Amino acid sequence: RPVTGVTQATTHEAGRRLKTWEDGERGSEGKDMEGCMRACRSAREARGPRLCGRSRRAEVGRSRAVPKANNRIARGLWRGRVSLPPLCASAPEVEPQEAAKEADSAPSIIDDLKQTAMSLHTKDQSASGGQKAKKRPEFKPTRSGYLRYLVDSRAVFSTMEDIVQRKAELAGLKENGLERSGALDRDIAFLESQGVSPAAVEGDESPGSEYAAYLRDLADANLPGFVCHYYNTYFAHTAGGRMIGKAVSDKILDGAKLDFYHDYPEAVSKLSRRVKEGLEGVASDWSEDERQSCVSETGKAFKYAGLVMRQMTIAEEE
């Protein structure tokens, strides 16, 4: 095996003397043998302490191109003609870059939530959806139904924002720029100024009010579960929600641009990135059970969002 970490000049000199001794002049050229031994000791001192097994194998792999003289002196060393210090007991130190990689490899709650959400999408909603495409009725929004949707959305977003304000654990999500309550207030006022009234609700309360009540209870009983709803509500809106908003506006509002979809203090991509980092921070010290209780709320988040969105198509009153 080759000796590594040895200066080339010292290795060549030791190799030359070892060859002289091995070529039959062992007895008559005792001085050459002694010189070889001195060269070997010099080589050992030049390369420093011997590496542990793992490090030595790595070094050997990097030194396959060592000259033949190196290999010759190495064979002499490994055959026992020259003794070497014992193997070091300690393992090689972990490089800072490797430690950083290990830290980066920590599980991401955003990745878990995204993967679970995609598994519930149908193929017609997303090419990577995990459910079969469904045949859906034609999308026919109405003005009163759309206003009902905006009112229900206002109840959901304002509740989420109130919870973020009062929960110390969610301090990193405060005033992040994705908040929608103010924009919804302006859009509701705009439609009402156009003579539009919200569609009537079936039952005791609207889907938005029911969802808001669920979120308040969930935030107190299972904060990780609330984070799941927060993630799905805000990022569904910044993605598919804004496309739906444009389609609705083109159909029933003469292409008007509502603040709910367009009024952001910065580019949505930048805001979204910071909010995702904030959510990762919230989840950084969660146990595996807490992570699971977060992800397992995805189905309910989809259910409530679907109920709220259906308000758009409530038929106009005669």
Side-chain angles (χ1 to χ4, degrees):
R1 303 181 187 178
V3 174
T4 59
V6 185
T7 60
Q8 224 176 21
T10 304
T11 303
H12 279 303
E13 174 63 16
R16 185 187 66 77
R17 298 188 183 188
L18 180 60
K19 183 177 187 303
T20 301
W21 181 68
E22 287 182 335
D23 283 346
E25 299 180 13
R26 297 181 178 86
S28 60
E29 296 294 335
K31 292 181 180 179
D32 281 344
M33 178 57 186
E34 292 174 0
C36 178
M37 297 292 288
R38 284 195 300 273
C40 290
R41 283 194 294 272
S42 298
R44 186 176 69 244
E45 291 169 359
R47 72 173 174 81
R50 191 172 179 184
L51 300 173
C52 67
R54 183 192 301 178
S55 301
R56 185 174 66 248
R57 287 192 295 274
E59 289 292 327
V60 170
R62 286 195 289 269
S63 60
R64 294 187 181 277
V66 176
K68 290 183 178 179
N70 285 19
N71 294 331
R72 195 176 297 116
I73 186 64
R75 286 196 297 272
L77 291 170
W78 282 98
R79 287 170 183 168
R81 296 192 180 109
V82 179
S83 61
L84 291 175
L87 297 179
C88 66
S90 59
E93 293 183 2
V94 178
E95 294 293 333
Q97 296 88 340
E98 294 180 9
K101 286 180 181 178
E102 289 181 5
D104 291 341
S105 66
S108 163
I109 192 63
I110 297 298
D111 288 347
D112 290 348
L113 287 169
K114 183 178 179 180
Q115 183 178 359
T116 306
M118 292 311 300
S119 72
L120 297 179
H121 278 81
T122 57
K123 295 292 185 183
D124 56 312
Q125 293 174 321
S126 172
S128 54
Q131 306 294 320
K132 292 181 179 180
K134 294 181 179 178
K135 191 172 183 179
R136 303 175 187 277
E138 183 184 355
F139 181 57
K140 293 181 179 180
T142 64
R143 289 163 65 89
S144 61
Y146 188 55
L147 181 54
R148 167 54 58 194
Y149 163 74
L150 294 178
V151 170
D152 275 20
S153 295
R154 171 66 169 77
V156 174
F157 279 97
S158 63
T159 297
M160 289 189 169
E161 289 158 21
D162 289 344
I163 291 169
V164 167
Q165 289 295 321
R166 67 181 176 86
K167 289 288 184 181
E169 301 93 325
L170 304 177
L173 301 176
K174 289 182 179 180
E175 300 174 0
N176 56 54
L178 290 184
E179 293 88 357
R180 296 291 83 201
S181 295
L184 281 163
D185 285 340
R186 294 190 293 274
D187 291 338
I188 291 168
F190 166 72
L191 285 177
E192 288 177 340
S193 71
Q194 302 296 310
V196 182
S197 298
V201 217
E202 295 180 1
D204 296 333
E205 58 182 352
S206 70
S209 298
E210 182 183 347
Y211 191 14
Y214 177 79
L215 291 171
R216 284 190 289 269
D217 292 340
L218 183 66
D220 292 332
N222 176 14
L223 191 61
F226 168 78
V227 167
C228 174
H229 289 264
Y230 185 95
Y231 166 84
N232 280 287
T233 299
Y234 279 91
F235 292 109
H237 178 67
T238 58
R242 292 200 296 166
M243 291 189 290
I244 293 172
K246 184 180 185 312
V248 171
S249 181
D250 290 344
K251 281 178 177 288
I252 62 175
L253 298 176
D254 298 324
K257 290 187 175 181
L258 300 186
D259 288 347
F260 185 34
Y261 305 101
H262 298 281
D263 185 27
Y264 288 94
E266 293 182 60
V268 172
S269 58
K270 291 183 179 179
L271 297 173
S272 298
R273 182 168 59 251
R274 289 201 290 268
V275 172
K276 288 177 181 178
E277 290 171 356
L279 290 171
E280 293 286 9
V282 171
S284 61
D285 58 351
W286 283 354
S287 67
E288 187 57 37
D289 287 344
E290 288 173 318
R291 296 176 68 85
Q292 187 55 41
S293 68
C294 173
V295 174
S296 64
E297 281 288 318
T298 305
K300 289 183 180 178
F302 272 52
K303 182 193 80 170
Y304 279 113
L307 291 173
V308 171
M309 191 163 288
R310 286 176 197 164
Q311 306 302 297
M312 290 187 189
T313 59
I314 295 177
E316 302 274 8
E317 293 185 1
E318 297 295 334

